Amino acid sequence: MLKRDFSGLKIAGQGSITSRGDRGSYFGSLTAGKNFADGRGNIAIALEYSKANAVYNVDRDDLTGAYSGRNQFNQSETTVGEPAAGNGVPDNQFYRGVRNGSIADGGLVTAVCNPTVAAQLADLNRCRASSTGFVSASNPGIGIGQRYVFNSAGQLVLSNPSLDFRDITTNFGASSPSSGSSNTIGGLGSTLMNTGQLLPSLERYSANILAHFDISDAFQPFVEAKYVRIYADQEGQPSFFSPISGTLGLPELRCNNGFLTAGSLATLQSIGRCVNPATDRFATSRFNTDFGGRGELHKRETYRIVGGVQGTFNDDWKYELAVNYGQYDEHYDSLNNLKLADLAGNDDGFTLAYDAVLAPASFSGSNFVLNSTGAKVICAVNSATNTRPDCVPINLFGVGAPSAAALKFVNTTSSYQARATELDVTLNVTGDTSQLFELPGGPVKFNVGGEYRRETARSHSML
């Protein structure tokens, strides 16, 4: 609102929506003003409201590949040993339906594939056909293990992509063979895009007041005030581990995990994992979409008020004295972060819940979850004594497997608050010396001013 003497009423509004029926955007405003005291005074107020709904990655699968796989350039051949000028074959090509081959929403396990063991190389349930055996020290071969994913029923099944980029980007025959890309076309790996937003949701309120009253030419008080509040909701990727030991620094999953089905254990053993279920552990990589995308809920408020007086004196001298105070407040909650320890550093949250075991017959607590056979599963920390009755074990085998109670125990919300303020006092006097003296070129113009400013800022986080 920039008009100094607005008089009347003005109402405006608009709304829009995309051709796909989402991202609704709305705006409305009202401005009202009135002159008084024969036009010597005026007060005006302006109110605005706007809102824009979020667009999520899953709303634009054709763009993001949230369900069907990403559309992107990907390495398409090994570049090891390639001359600097290239070999005439594009190193990267554009593909559709690209997935991450080394992590899955329900949990992914890679089979053991030892290139020195012929029986393993011949077993296509363990090794991909592109694997090569040991030839010599300079050509030790490479075993490319098959990948398995826990489906929604908690069963470990083979991920069978139409193209595994390890098959075409590995430098086979090298003394230190390695894969250039772990992605796939098809298969059961994660797209990494099935949480998160293309556009966040925004909601904005604002109010402005502008008023003045000209008591005389020499004394004209005025006031300006503004208030703005913004809500913003944004979502990103969920928590993940790939594997648990590498990402979170915790031991891998027990082979005798209480939620692991007998069929999945048999599959693990058939691909070289869990040889001794009582003591062994196995690595898994999981993109925790069912934990909820990590996001932030923002609230921002801005206040500003200016009060002062201005006028003309000594015929053509002008002055303005103004006091300006502004304040910015921010608060946001960070959602769906994994809780690993309490404030004292003791194991808590996910660290306790993922270590799930079958309950002994003597267990009498209510903090258990039934597995697929109806047996009670508890947190391992409670095996001997129910020392953590708040601990609910979490099932990590398959999308949708974690219970609501377990997610409440492992996820945490942290908060952040900040405030910044500014106080600014200014005084300016402008005029010329025409009533006192003039030089051959005319009177001397001048401006004299002073300013006092104080700024503060503080912030803190809360767990």
Side-chain angles (χ1 to χ4, degrees):
M1 185 172 62
L2 301 176
K3 294 183 178 180
R4 176 176 169 81
D5 293 300
F6 179 83
S7 180
L9 179 66
K10 180 179 180 181
I11 300 176
Q14 68 180 45
S16 62
I17 196 168
T18 72
S19 60
R20 302 193 185 191
D22 55 16
R23 188 56 173 181
S25 299
Y26 316 96
F27 170 82
S29 67
L30 182 149
T31 304
K34 181 175 178 59
N35 293 316
F36 59 91
D38 297 326
R40 292 186 295 125
N42 178 270
I43 183 169
I45 182 171
L47 305 175
E48 287 187 3
Y49 171 78
S50 62
K51 182 178 182 179
N53 294 328
V55 176
Y56 292 86
N57 289 335
V58 295
D59 297 329
R60 296 288 189 277
D61 178 69
D62 57 335
L63 176 65
T64 65
Y67 298 122
S68 59
R70 305 184 303 272
N71 306 314
Q72 66 177 58
F73 281 94
N74 200 91
Q75 186 177 337
S76 56
E77 67 162 359
T78 180
T79 58
V80 176
E82 185 176 300
N87 61 0
V89 178
D91 297 335
N92 294 274
Q93 297 184 37
F94 190 79
Y95 294 90
R96 296 178 63 87
V98 177
R99 294 174 174 270
N100 190 302
S102 59
I103 193 169
D105 298 346
L108 181 145
V109 180
T110 301
V112 176
C113 179
N114 189 335
T116 65
V117 180
Q120 291 186 19
L121 290 175
D123 184 354
L124 295 183
N125 289 317
R126 292 183 66 153
C127 299
R128 292 193 62 80
S130 59
S131 302
T132 58
F134 178 85
V135 176
S136 64
S138 61
N139 185 5
I142 182 172
I144 300 180
Q146 294 280 24
R147 290 158 170 166
Y148 288 76
V149 172
F150 288 98
N151 64 17
S152 58
Q155 298 300 321
L156 192 59
V157 297
L158 177 65
S159 176
N160 191 24
S162 59
L163 173 61
D164 189 323
F165 283 98
R166 294 178 299 170
D167 295 340
I168 61 174
T169 64
T170 298
N171 53 327
F172 297 102
S175 58
S176 299
S178 61
S179 172
S181 174
S182 63
N183 289 336
T184 67
I185 303 293
L188 301 176
S190 178
T191 67
L192 306 182
M193 296 297 290
N194 43 358
T195 63
Q197 294 171 324
L198 289 170
L199 296 168
S201 67
L202 297 170
E203 189 172 21
R204 182 178 184 271
Y205 302 82
S206 69
N208 293 271
I209 295 177
L210 184 66
H212 72 90
F213 183 61
D214 300 343
I215 297 175
S216 68
D217 289 344
F219 192 74
Q220 301 172 359
F222 62 89
V223 63
E224 301 173 17
K226 173 187 283 288
Y227 171 73
V228 178
R229 176 185 292 182
I230 297 175
Y231 293 103
D233 179 359
Q234 63 185 51
E235 180 186 274
Q237 290 188 334
S239 60
F240 66 92
F241 45 83
S242 181
I244 292 176
S245 60
T247 306
L248 305 179
L250 301 174
E252 300 300 344
L253 288 167
R254 297 172 180 266
C255 290
N256 60 356
N257 185 286
F259 292 113
L260 189 65
T261 66
S264 292
L265 176 59
T267 301
L268 284 168
Q269 292 179 316
S270 72
I271 61 174
R273 306 291 181 186
C274 296
V275 176
N276 184 349
T279 58
D280 286 354
R281 295 175 180 264
F282 66 98
T284 182
S285 300
R286 195 177 196 277
F287 198 62
N288 301 320
T289 55
D290 47 8
F291 285 31
R294 287 178 289 185
E296 293 178 352
L297 301 178
H298 287 260
K299 176 184 177 181
R300 305 184 184 105
E301 293 180 289
T302 302
Y303 309 80
R304 178 177 178 266
I305 184 167
V306 181
V309 61
Q310 62 185 8
T312 302
F313 67 100
N314 198 27
D315 290 337
D316 57 359
W317 288 19
K318 297 180 180 180
Y319 75 97
E320 181 184 87
L321 172 65
V323 179
N324 186 333
Y325 176 78
Q327 179 176 308
Y328 170 78
D329 290 329
E330 179 180 9
H331 175 95
Y332 72 79
D333 295 325
S334 180
L335 311 176
N336 297 329
N337 296 298
L338 281 187
K339 183 178 183 180
L340 301 178
D342 61 20
L343 293 177
N346 302 308
D347 290 348
D348 204 353
F350 183 84
T351 304
L352 299 179
Y354 94 103
D355 196 14
V357 298
L358 292 174
S362 59
F363 184 81
S364 60
S366 60
N367 51 321
F368 63 86
V369 176
L370 297 179
N371 66 13
S372 60
T373 65
K376 293 180 180 179
V377 180
I378 62 173
C379 300
V381 69
N382 294 328
S383 293
T385 305
N386 196 10
T387 57
R388 288 297 302 266
D390 59 331
C391 184
V392 180
I394 190 163
N395 184 352
L396 298 174
F397 305 125
V399 177
S403 68
L407 290 176
K408 183 177 180 181
F409 182 68
V410 304
N411 278 339
T412 186
T413 297
S414 59
S415 299
Y416 172 84
Q417 288 185 336
R419 169 172 289 182
T421 67
E422 181 180 86
L423 174 65
D424 191 53
V425 182
T426 60
L427 173 63
N428 282 284
V429 178
T430 303
D432 62 46
T433 61
S434 59
Q435 298 182 52
L436 301 175
F437 65 89
E438 293 189 17
L439 297 177
V444 178
K445 294 185 177 181
F446 66 88
N447 177 270
V448 179
E451 179 182 12
Y452 168 78
R453 178 180 295 182
R454 184 186 68 197
E455 298 178 348
T456 66
R458 67 175 186 269
S459 64
H460 67 277
S461 299
M462 299 175 290
L463 299 177

